[in-house]
mmCIF file of all heavy atoms in Angstrom:
data_model
loop_
_atom_site.group_PDB
_atom_site.id
_atom_site.type_symbol
_atom_site.label_atom_id
_atom_site.label_comp_id
_atom_site.label_asym_id
_atom_site.label_seq_id
_atom_site.Cartn_x
_atom_site.Cartn_y
_atom_site.Cartn_z
ATOM 1 N N HIS A 1 156.027 89.516 102.509
ATOM 2 C CA HIS A 1 156.311 89.125 103.878
ATOM 3 C C HIS A 1 156.403 90.287 104.782
ATOM 4 O O HIS A 1 155.311 90.642 105.372
ATOM 5 C CB HIS A 1 157.678 88.298 103.850
ATOM 6 C CG HIS A 1 157.995 87.608 105.081
ATOM 7 N ND1 HIS A 1 157.086 86.942 105.852
ATOM 8 C CD2 HIS A 1 159.134 87.507 105.757
ATOM 9 C CE1 HIS A 1 157.715 86.398 106.948
ATOM 10 N NE2 HIS A 1 158.972 86.771 106.881
ATOM 11 N N ARG A 2 157.488 90.824 104.978
ATOM 12 C CA ARG A 2 157.638 92.002 105.799
ATOM 13 C C ARG A 2 158.177 93.115 104.860
ATOM 14 O O ARG A 2 158.400 92.836 103.705
ATOM 15 C CB ARG A 2 158.646 91.789 106.901
ATOM 16 C CG ARG A 2 158.109 90.928 108.018
ATOM 17 C CD ARG A 2 159.149 90.701 109.029
ATOM 18 N NE ARG A 2 159.777 89.383 108.796
ATOM 19 C CZ ARG A 2 160.950 89.070 109.161
ATOM 20 N NH1 ARG A 2 161.690 89.840 109.798
ATOM 21 N NH2 ARG A 2 161.445 87.886 108.893
ATOM 22 N N GLN A 3 158.297 94.296 105.420
ATOM 23 C CA GLN A 3 158.704 95.428 104.582
ATOM 24 C C GLN A 3 160.031 95.081 103.884
ATOM 25 O O GLN A 3 161.063 94.724 104.494
ATOM 26 C CB GLN A 3 158.988 96.609 105.466
ATOM 27 C CG GLN A 3 159.498 97.807 104.679
ATOM 28 C CD GLN A 3 158.592 99.004 104.921
ATOM 29 O OE1 GLN A 3 157.769 99.027 105.742
ATOM 30 N NE2 GLN A 3 158.860 100.070 104.124
ATOM 31 N N GLY A 4 160.013 95.176 102.523
ATOM 32 C CA GLY A 4 161.167 94.900 101.742
ATOM 33 C C GLY A 4 161.605 93.421 101.585
ATOM 34 O O GLY A 4 162.718 93.104 101.179
ATOM 35 N N ARG A 5 160.716 92.516 101.946
ATOM 36 C CA ARG A 5 161.025 91.067 101.908
ATOM 37 C C ARG A 5 159.827 90.287 101.318
ATOM 38 O O ARG A 5 158.650 90.711 101.361
ATOM 39 C CB ARG A 5 161.273 90.512 103.326
ATOM 40 C CG ARG A 5 162.105 91.281 104.230
ATOM 41 C CD ARG A 5 163.568 91.134 104.081
ATOM 42 N NE ARG A 5 164.078 89.849 104.493
ATOM 43 C CZ ARG A 5 165.275 89.457 104.106
ATOM 44 N NH1 ARG A 5 166.015 90.259 103.320
ATOM 45 N NH2 ARG A 5 165.764 88.302 104.413
ATOM 46 N N ALA A 6 160.201 89.131 100.777
ATOM 47 C CA ALA A 6 159.175 88.188 100.280
ATOM 48 C C ALA A 6 159.494 86.773 100.836
ATOM 49 O O ALA A 6 160.705 86.519 101.159
ATOM 50 C CB ALA A 6 159.161 88.130 98.771
ATOM 51 N N LEU A 7 158.545 85.997 101.098
ATOM 52 C CA LEU A 7 158.736 84.656 101.605
ATOM 53 C C LEU A 7 158.640 83.672 100.390
ATOM 54 O O LEU A 7 157.647 83.768 99.649
ATOM 55 C CB LEU A 7 157.727 84.310 102.689
ATOM 56 C CG LEU A 7 157.910 82.975 103.436
ATOM 57 C CD1 LEU A 7 159.251 83.013 104.206
ATOM 58 C CD2 LEU A 7 156.741 82.748 104.356
ATOM 59 N N VAL A 8 159.570 82.761 100.261
ATOM 60 C CA VAL A 8 159.623 81.834 99.161
ATOM 61 C C VAL A 8 159.331 80.466 99.816
ATOM 62 O O VAL A 8 160.144 79.987 100.661
ATOM 63 C CB VAL A 8 160.959 81.843 98.433
ATOM 64 C CG1 VAL A 8 160.969 80.777 97.344
ATOM 65 C CG2 VAL A 8 161.287 83.219 97.942
ATOM 66 N N CYS A 9 158.279 79.792 99.374
ATOM 67 C CA CYS A 9 157.920 78.471 99.920
ATOM 68 C C CYS A 9 157.843 77.469 98.803
ATOM 69 O O CYS A 9 157.142 77.680 97.862
ATOM 70 C CB CYS A 9 156.547 78.549 100.609
ATOM 71 S SG CYS A 9 156.452 79.812 101.895
ATOM 72 N N PRO A 10 158.512 76.304 98.986
ATOM 73 C CA PRO A 10 158.341 75.187 98.006
ATOM 74 C C PRO A 10 157.015 74.682 98.128
ATOM 75 O O PRO A 10 156.379 74.576 99.169
ATOM 76 C CB PRO A 10 159.447 74.205 98.402
ATOM 77 C CG PRO A 10 160.280 74.883 99.373
ATOM 78 C CD PRO A 10 159.549 76.018 100.002
ATOM 79 N N VAL A 11 156.467 74.231 97.004
ATOM 80 C CA VAL A 11 155.108 73.626 96.890
ATOM 81 C C VAL A 11 155.218 72.162 96.436
ATOM 82 O O VAL A 11 156.065 71.858 95.625
ATOM 83 C CB VAL A 11 154.246 74.424 95.907
ATOM 84 C CG1 VAL A 11 152.798 73.765 95.726
ATOM 85 C CG2 VAL A 11 154.097 75.874 96.315
ATOM 86 N N VAL A 12 154.481 71.302 97.043
ATOM 87 C CA VAL A 12 154.418 69.861 96.623
ATOM 88 C C VAL A 12 153.949 69.869 95.160
ATOM 89 O O VAL A 12 152.810 70.346 94.898
ATOM 90 C CB VAL A 12 153.525 69.063 97.517
ATOM 91 C CG1 VAL A 12 153.419 67.642 97.049
ATOM 92 C CG2 VAL A 12 154.050 69.050 99.024
ATOM 93 N N PRO A 13 154.740 69.336 94.289
ATOM 94 C CA PRO A 13 154.262 69.299 92.868
ATOM 95 C C PRO A 13 153.070 68.395 92.733
ATOM 96 O O PRO A 13 152.880 67.439 93.511
ATOM 97 C CB PRO A 13 155.488 68.589 92.118
ATOM 98 C CG PRO A 13 156.648 68.867 93.041
ATOM 99 C CD PRO A 13 156.129 68.813 94.384
ATOM 100 N N LEU A 14 152.223 68.770 91.734
ATOM 101 C CA LEU A 14 151.041 67.963 91.459
ATOM 102 C C LEU A 14 151.503 66.568 91.081
ATOM 103 O O LEU A 14 152.568 66.352 90.448
ATOM 104 C CB LEU A 14 150.251 68.580 90.290
ATOM 105 C CG LEU A 14 149.649 69.939 90.559
ATOM 106 C CD1 LEU A 14 148.950 70.517 89.350
ATOM 107 C CD2 LEU A 14 148.652 69.826 91.749
ATOM 108 N N GLY A 15 150.778 65.554 91.449
ATOM 109 C CA GLY A 15 151.091 64.147 91.182
ATOM 110 C C GLY A 15 151.752 63.483 92.326
ATOM 111 O O GLY A 15 151.900 62.311 92.370
ATOM 112 N N LEU A 16 152.266 64.258 93.305
ATOM 113 C CA LEU A 16 152.864 63.739 94.465
ATOM 114 C C LEU A 16 151.888 63.885 95.679
ATOM 115 O O LEU A 16 151.318 64.969 95.858
ATOM 116 C CB LEU A 16 154.177 64.397 94.868
ATOM 117 C CG LEU A 16 155.389 64.094 93.935
ATOM 118 C CD1 LEU A 16 156.549 64.931 94.364
ATOM 119 C CD2 LEU A 16 155.662 62.621 93.950
ATOM 120 N N HIS A 17 151.680 62.824 96.379
ATOM 121 C CA HIS A 17 150.755 62.836 97.498
ATOM 122 C C HIS A 17 151.490 63.151 98.795
ATOM 123 O O HIS A 17 152.607 62.763 98.962
ATOM 124 C CB HIS A 17 150.055 61.468 97.558
ATOM 125 C CG HIS A 17 148.787 61.606 98.445
ATOM 126 N ND1 HIS A 17 148.787 61.407 99.799
ATOM 127 C CD2 HIS A 17 147.485 61.811 98.067
ATOM 128 C CE1 HIS A 17 147.609 61.577 100.254
ATOM 129 N NE2 HIS A 17 146.781 61.787 99.263
ATOM 130 N N GLU A 18 150.776 63.800 99.733
ATOM 131 C CA GLU A 18 151.335 64.167 100.996
ATOM 132 C C GLU A 18 151.743 62.911 101.811
ATOM 133 O O GLU A 18 152.563 63.008 102.763
ATOM 134 C CB GLU A 18 150.396 65.058 101.811
ATOM 135 C CG GLU A 18 150.357 66.466 101.286
ATOM 136 C CD GLU A 18 149.276 66.644 100.212
ATOM 137 O OE1 GLU A 18 148.618 65.639 99.812
ATOM 138 O OE2 GLU A 18 149.100 67.716 99.699
ATOM 139 N N ASP A 19 151.167 61.761 101.559
ATOM 140 C CA ASP A 19 151.514 60.589 102.296
ATOM 141 C C ASP A 19 153.008 60.261 102.011
ATOM 142 O O ASP A 19 153.653 59.631 102.874
ATOM 143 C CB ASP A 19 150.650 59.376 101.839
ATOM 144 C CG ASP A 19 149.266 59.427 102.375
ATOM 145 O OD1 ASP A 19 149.080 60.232 103.271
ATOM 146 O OD2 ASP A 19 148.368 58.657 101.942
ATOM 147 N N ILE A 20 153.483 60.674 100.886
ATOM 148 C CA ILE A 20 154.891 60.383 100.521
ATOM 149 C C ILE A 20 155.754 61.550 101.068
ATOM 150 O O ILE A 20 156.785 61.340 101.725
ATOM 151 C CB ILE A 20 155.094 60.175 99.016
ATOM 152 C CG1 ILE A 20 154.429 58.842 98.649
ATOM 153 C CG2 ILE A 20 156.584 60.223 98.659
ATOM 154 C CD1 ILE A 20 154.376 58.625 97.159
ATOM 155 N N THR A 21 155.394 62.773 100.747
ATOM 156 C CA THR A 21 156.176 63.947 101.058
ATOM 157 C C THR A 21 156.285 64.186 102.564
ATOM 158 O O THR A 21 157.246 64.746 103.031
ATOM 159 C CB THR A 21 155.740 65.180 100.373
ATOM 160 O OG1 THR A 21 154.298 65.440 100.720
ATOM 161 C CG2 THR A 21 155.768 65.017 98.840
ATOM 162 N N ASP A 22 155.262 63.730 103.330
ATOM 163 C CA ASP A 22 155.275 64.003 104.785
ATOM 164 C C ASP A 22 156.416 63.143 105.454
ATOM 165 O O ASP A 22 156.789 63.390 106.587
ATOM 166 C CB ASP A 22 153.924 63.625 105.449
ATOM 167 C CG ASP A 22 152.981 64.767 105.326
ATOM 168 O OD1 ASP A 22 153.374 65.849 104.887
ATOM 169 O OD2 ASP A 22 151.777 64.491 105.555
ATOM 170 N N HIS A 23 156.876 62.106 104.789
ATOM 171 C CA HIS A 23 157.890 61.226 105.294
ATOM 172 C C HIS A 23 159.353 61.593 104.810
ATOM 173 O O HIS A 23 160.278 60.853 105.133
ATOM 174 C CB HIS A 23 157.617 59.773 104.999
ATOM 175 C CG HIS A 23 156.352 59.311 105.568
ATOM 176 N ND1 HIS A 23 156.212 59.031 106.924
ATOM 177 C CD2 HIS A 23 155.093 59.164 105.100
ATOM 178 C CE1 HIS A 23 154.968 58.691 107.206
ATOM 179 N NE2 HIS A 23 154.272 58.754 106.088
ATOM 180 N N LEU A 24 159.406 62.712 104.148
ATOM 181 C CA LEU A 24 160.739 63.173 103.626
ATOM 182 C C LEU A 24 161.023 64.518 104.260
ATOM 183 O O LEU A 24 160.181 65.262 104.577
ATOM 184 C CB LEU A 24 160.687 63.298 102.108
ATOM 185 C CG LEU A 24 160.506 62.005 101.358
ATOM 186 C CD1 LEU A 24 160.281 62.314 99.888
ATOM 187 C CD2 LEU A 24 161.624 61.075 101.504
ATOM 188 N N PRO A 25 162.313 64.812 104.423
ATOM 189 C CA PRO A 25 162.649 66.164 104.930
ATOM 190 C C PRO A 25 162.142 67.297 104.004
ATOM 191 O O PRO A 25 162.346 67.151 102.750
ATOM 192 C CB PRO A 25 164.144 66.164 104.979
ATOM 193 C CG PRO A 25 164.595 64.724 104.991
ATOM 194 C CD PRO A 25 163.460 63.994 104.235
ATOM 195 N N ALA A 26 161.424 68.199 104.550
ATOM 196 C CA ALA A 26 160.877 69.278 103.698
ATOM 197 C C ALA A 26 161.934 70.265 103.321
ATOM 198 O O ALA A 26 162.853 70.598 104.110
ATOM 199 C CB ALA A 26 159.771 69.981 104.444
ATOM 200 N N PRO A 27 161.878 70.777 102.084
ATOM 201 C CA PRO A 27 162.853 71.809 101.693
ATOM 202 C C PRO A 27 162.542 73.132 102.423
ATOM 203 O O PRO A 27 161.402 73.347 102.874
ATOM 204 C CB PRO A 27 162.591 71.949 100.219
ATOM 205 C CG PRO A 27 161.367 71.249 99.857
ATOM 206 C CD PRO A 27 160.996 70.367 101.003
ATOM 207 N N PRO A 28 163.560 73.968 102.639
ATOM 208 C CA PRO A 28 163.337 75.145 103.458
ATOM 209 C C PRO A 28 162.550 76.251 102.740
ATOM 210 O O PRO A 28 162.520 76.311 101.467
ATOM 211 C CB PRO A 28 164.792 75.643 103.643
ATOM 212 C CG PRO A 28 165.551 75.199 102.479
ATOM 213 C CD PRO A 28 164.897 73.881 102.054
ATOM 214 N N SER A 29 161.805 76.989 103.536
ATOM 215 C CA SER A 29 161.190 78.249 103.055
ATOM 216 C C SER A 29 162.149 79.378 103.524
ATOM 217 O O SER A 29 162.668 79.283 104.611
ATOM 218 C CB SER A 29 159.786 78.478 103.687
ATOM 219 O OG SER A 29 158.903 77.486 103.238
ATOM 220 N N VAL A 30 162.355 80.366 102.673
ATOM 221 C CA VAL A 30 163.273 81.395 103.030
ATOM 222 C C VAL A 30 162.714 82.787 102.714
ATOM 223 O O VAL A 30 161.878 82.849 101.817
ATOM 224 C CB VAL A 30 164.708 81.248 102.306
ATOM 225 C CG1 VAL A 30 165.338 79.987 102.687
ATOM 226 C CG2 VAL A 30 164.576 81.401 100.817
ATOM 227 N N ALA A 31 163.201 83.761 103.470
ATOM 228 C CA ALA A 31 162.825 85.121 103.181
ATOM 229 C C ALA A 31 163.885 85.725 102.272
ATOM 230 O O ALA A 31 165.098 85.424 102.423
ATOM 231 C CB ALA A 31 162.704 85.981 104.459
ATOM 232 N N VAL A 32 163.420 86.453 101.257
ATOM 233 C CA VAL A 32 164.345 87.049 100.338
ATOM 234 C C VAL A 32 164.075 88.537 100.191
ATOM 235 O O VAL A 32 162.974 89.044 100.445
ATOM 236 C CB VAL A 32 164.230 86.374 98.910
ATOM 237 C CG1 VAL A 32 164.547 84.904 98.933
ATOM 238 C CG2 VAL A 32 162.830 86.590 98.304
ATOM 239 N N PRO A 33 165.143 89.349 99.823
ATOM 240 C CA PRO A 33 164.894 90.770 99.597
ATOM 241 C C PRO A 33 164.095 90.960 98.362
ATOM 242 O O PRO A 33 164.040 90.126 97.506
ATOM 243 C CB PRO A 33 166.294 91.340 99.506
ATOM 244 C CG PRO A 33 167.154 90.160 99.115
ATOM 245 C CD PRO A 33 166.493 88.933 99.664
ATOM 246 N N LEU A 34 163.408 92.100 98.252
ATOM 247 C CA LEU A 34 162.640 92.423 97.090
ATOM 248 C C LEU A 34 163.453 92.965 95.888
ATOM 249 O O LEU A 34 162.942 93.653 95.091
ATOM 250 C CB LEU A 34 161.500 93.446 97.457
ATOM 251 C CG LEU A 34 160.405 92.807 98.306
ATOM 252 C CD1 LEU A 34 159.351 93.923 98.619
ATOM 253 C CD2 LEU A 34 159.712 91.698 97.549
ATOM 254 N N ASP A 35 164.755 92.560 95.899
ATOM 255 C CA ASP A 35 165.613 92.866 94.809
ATOM 256 C C ASP A 35 165.668 91.601 93.963
ATOM 257 O O ASP A 35 166.116 90.550 94.467
ATOM 258 C CB ASP A 35 166.995 93.241 95.339
ATOM 259 C CG ASP A 35 168.035 93.400 94.277
ATOM 260 O OD1 ASP A 35 168.353 92.411 93.568
ATOM 261 O OD2 ASP A 35 168.515 94.548 94.073
#
């Protein structure tokens, strides 16, 4: 991501279609330290 950071993003699992997941609150993406 940025210096000393990584971005963690949840991925829609295989077998689930976006037609379903688009109607649910998305889990957050967060920046984490490289520790």
Side-chain angles (χ1 to χ4, degrees):
H1 188 44
R2 288 180 261 156
Q3 179 126 10
R5 314 279 291 164
L7 188 62
V8 180
C9 305
V11 176
V12 175
L14 295 175
L16 288 177
H17 196 274
E18 287 86 1
D19 285 347
I20 292 173
T21 59
D22 280 349
H23 297 285
L24 297 171
S29 295
V30 298
V32 298
L34 289 178
D35 174 295

